[in-house]
Amino acid sequence: MLRPVGNITKMDPAELKMLKKRTDAATAIIFFIVAILVLRLWHLQIQQGGEYLQRSESNRIRVQQLAAPRGNLVDRHGQTLVTNRPRFNVIWIREDAPHPDEVIRQLARILELDISELLDRIRAGADQPRFIPTRLKEDIDWRTLVQIENNSFNLPGVQIEVQPSRNYLHGNLASHLVGYLGEINQRELEMFRHQDYRAGDPIGKMGLERLFETYLRGEKGRSYVEVDVRGFAQKQLQIQEPLPGNDLQLTLDLQMQKVAEEGLRDAAGAVVAMEVNSGRLLVMASAPELPVESFVGGIPRALWQGLLDDRRAPLLNKPVQGQYAPGSTYKVITTLAALEEEVITPETSFQCNGSIIFQGRRYHCWQRRGHGQVKLRQAMAESCDVYFYYLGQRLGVDTLAKYARLMGLGQKTEIVLEHEKEGLVPTAEWKRQRHREPWQDGETLSVSIGQGFNLATPLQITRMTAAVANGGRFYRPKLVSAIIDPEGEVVQELQPEPEREVGEVSNESWELLREILVASVMDQRATGRSARIKDITVAGKTGTSQVVRLSQIEHFEEDEIPYHLRDHAWFTAYAPAEKPEVAVTVLVEHGGSGGAVAAPLAKAVLEAYFRQQEDPTLPATAEQKQQDEE
């Protein structure tokens, strides 16, 4: 029998040999166990590491963001223009899909999409963590929704996301003003990186949707869900409801806007209506309209290209971005300058024989047979060009420019909308710098009737008319009157902003100009007579601006002139003349005569205004009443 090691006091070779065997055996066992552990660890960490990492990430609580409903847009009477509806999107969470190829194949079949289209979307989100959903298709219909739900067991990682989406209750009404939403891009993500945006979120891209994004977007909510290894929700743990965005109460009048847009149907142009004593805009119509519904979920490429290629420029917001020769509406400026500079009196007369010859060139009046001997009132009422040629000669281009600027032309109105244009008020110095040529006196004749280098936007002409009506006061144009929180409390009220007053013009000149503008509508032979309204006195001025030289179209019969060579039709007016409330300007591109085309539409808008003043709930026209009933 062996003695315990501790009792060995004398070297015994046999016992030492036995002890060495026991030590070697124990060491071998230890090495064997360590080897097994290392092999197992290698198997778990290296061979199966990816799978176990995925499982460990999947077995957890998932936090999902809940989109907030955007604030509504309502008109000045509180009638809703834009609100929200639920939208069903197909999303895919990569970490929940163990066999993505098969899932994508099945999903492409259900969504009736090409597999490459789905793969493009997946690749676009490849840099994001695997638990962040990738949106594969927006705004699916009910049939597709049911198909996906019925096949959910075979589509691991595929889920339906419910998001609030814009609902345009009146179609494309005021589309350029309202604007549209789109998916946030990388530049915007970087710009708003501290504001809780995430790839795939909608964001305002244009118009009020963009300009008031901060107020409209609301605050996201959070949903805490326990999910299993396949990504299927097991239990709702907690939910933090999203907070809706604030509403915008606009200054627009829904019924007036409908009348304006109906009048521009099948045409290109703009209609603007403004309160003359506050600058609040009641109508801001631009035609052709924008298909805002098509932007929900991403506009098809072919449709976008069609908008770019359309020669009527539907992407332009024409009240502020369209620049046109103002035509005879500019005679308001010429008259005001002539009276203030005392180059004429109301009794000054000139002979109109249909044209004059100046420096060897003939300048025509629109009335080829002439107006005869005319004074200021008749010249304005019948829009005699020859009379204003004589005024232009006496004033000179720089004096005309001074009064044009006083009346707000050649400068931005500072409205909140994007990309507003300044227009152009030409001077001798401007031409010398721009074209390196001296000003020609004959060019002043063209400027005096609103042709030549003159350019103005419909909003500028409306402000000019409003200033004439109120005695020279300018207001910054307003589109939003109040910001209202989801509880209905007014967060911010946006008051009218008086901008300046034209102190250089005498009261006598204002009064005389207003009398003449009344004559331009109410006189028997007035060019603006088609804008008359029963029991209400309207003051206004027509305009027909040429887009090419007369020599280019005079060989055509009127109905044979190509569309793009036809004149633009203008009419600007205010009413009631005795106590002005509202100014309206209509511009119809290539519409022809201002008196025949633009004035009747201005009349319809003014009638809608006075009808709304009596009862805001009434449809503005009989046709709208029928549509509302249907």
Side-chain angles (χ1 to χ4, degrees), residues 69-75 80-84 166-167 169 215-216 244-250 482 484:
R70 289 177 75 86
N72 300 318
L73 304 184
V74 302
D75 84 339
T80 304
L81 305 177
V82 181
T83 183
N84 300 290
R166 276 316 204 191
N167 188 11
L169 298 181
Y215 296 99
L216 289 168
N246 294 321
D247 293 347
L248 297 185
Q249 180 159 35
L250 309 184
I484 303 169

Side-chain angles (χ1 to χ4, degrees), residues 233-400:
Q234 299 300 300
K235 186 165 60 175
Q236 179 80 55
L237 300 177
Q238 185 183 353
I239 188 165
Q240 178 185 338
E241 296 289 350
L243 297 176
N246 294 321
D247 293 347
L248 297 185
Q249 180 159 35
L250 309 184
T251 59
L252 285 194
D253 185 297
L254 171 61
Q255 301 301 335
M256 291 177 67
Q257 184 80 19
K258 283 184 176 180
V259 169
E261 297 200 9
E262 183 62 30
L264 288 174
R265 187 172 298 280
D266 301 325
V271 178
V272 180
M274 171 189 282
E275 289 181 348
V276 301
N277 296 307
S278 70
R280 294 190 182 98
L281 290 163
L282 306 176
V283 174
M284 282 285 278
S286 183
E289 63 191 14
L290 274 181
V292 285
E293 290 277 6
S294 301
F295 287 92
V296 177
I299 186 169
R301 189 171 301 174
L303 179 54
W304 177 251
Q305 191 60 48
L307 293 174
L308 292 174
D309 294 341
D310 192 333
R311 65 194 307 175
R312 299 175 304 162
L315 293 174
L316 274 187
N317 187 8
K318 292 175 181 174
V320 295
Q321 296 172 351
Q323 300 184 100
Y324 312 88
S328 292
T329 62
Y330 188 88
K331 290 172 182 171
V332 170
I333 305 287
T334 308
T335 300
L336 198 61
L339 292 173
E340 280 297 299
E341 298 296 321
E342 299 181 345
V343 299
I344 58 164
T345 71
E347 298 304 315
T348 301
S349 66
F350 296 103
Q351 178 67 29
C352 172
N353 294 321
S355 66
I356 64 170
I357 296 178
F358 183 75
Q359 294 182 341
R361 179 183 168 187
R362 184 176 294 278
Y363 292 83
H364 291 279
C365 181
W366 71 270
Q367 180 58 275
R368 292 303 181 93
R369 65 175 182 271
H371 291 92
Q373 195 73 23
V374 288
K375 296 181 181 178
L376 178 59
R377 174 183 173 121
Q378 182 188 352
M380 183 71 109
E382 299 179 21
S383 204
C384 174
D385 292 331
V386 167
Y387 191 96
F388 287 89
Y389 291 149
Y390 285 120
L391 299 192
Q393 288 181 39
R394 295 187 177 191
L395 289 165
V397 66
D398 290 341
T399 303
L400 284 169

Side-chain angles (χ1 to χ4, degrees), residues 110-166:
I110 294 173
L111 297 178
E112 298 179 351
L113 291 175
D114 192 88
I115 289 179
S116 62
E117 189 173 342
L118 293 180
L119 291 176
D120 285 344
R121 292 203 170 204
I122 292 169
R123 292 190 192 103
D127 294 337
Q128 299 184 67
R130 295 171 61 85
F131 61 87
I132 297 293
T134 300
R135 193 168 295 141
L136 299 182
K137 188 169 184 182
E138 295 84 4
D139 208 15
I140 60 172
D141 56 28
W142 279 102
R143 184 185 63 82
T144 307
L145 174 65
V146 170
Q147 275 190 287
I148 291 176
E149 290 294 346
N150 288 341
N151 290 277
S152 61
F153 188 78
N154 298 319
L155 298 172
V158 175
Q159 296 182 12
I160 299 298
E161 172 192 59
V162 183
Q163 267 199 335
S165 177
R166 276 316 204 191

Side-chain angles (χ1 to χ4, degrees), residues 58 119 175 177 196 230 454 459 527 561 564 589 598 615 629:
S58 300
L119 291 176
S175 53
L177 179 65
D196 199 21
R230 292 174 60 84
N454 276 321
L459 180 58
T527 55
I561 299 174
H564 65 285
E589 291 178 359
D615 185 351
E629 289 173 352

Side-chain angles (χ1 to χ4, degrees), residues 5-22:
V5 175
N7 295 333
I8 298 175
T9 56
K10 184 178 179 180
M11 296 296 292
D12 183 342
E15 289 180 350
L16 285 175
K17 186 176 180 181
M18 181 59 68
L19 179 59
K20 185 174 183 301
K21 286 181 178 179
R22 290 170 62 188

Side-chain angles (χ1 to χ4, degrees), residues 543-609:
T544 304
S545 65
Q546 297 172 356
V547 297
V548 293
R549 290 182 180 276
L550 191 61
S551 58
Q552 292 182 247
I553 57 173
E554 59 187 1
H555 57 284
F556 287 109
E557 294 295 330
E558 186 171 345
D559 57 352
E560 295 176 347
I561 299 174
Y563 171 79
H564 65 285
L565 300 182
R566 295 177 186 171
D567 299 336
H568 295 326
W570 282 95
F571 186 68
T572 187
Y574 63 86
E578 300 80 5
K579 191 177 181 181
E581 297 177 15
V582 60
V584 176
T585 297
V586 174
L587 177 278
V588 181
E589 291 178 359
H590 309 293
S593 163
V597 176
L601 178 50
K603 172 188 176 180
V605 174
L606 286 171
E607 287 177 331
Y609 170 80

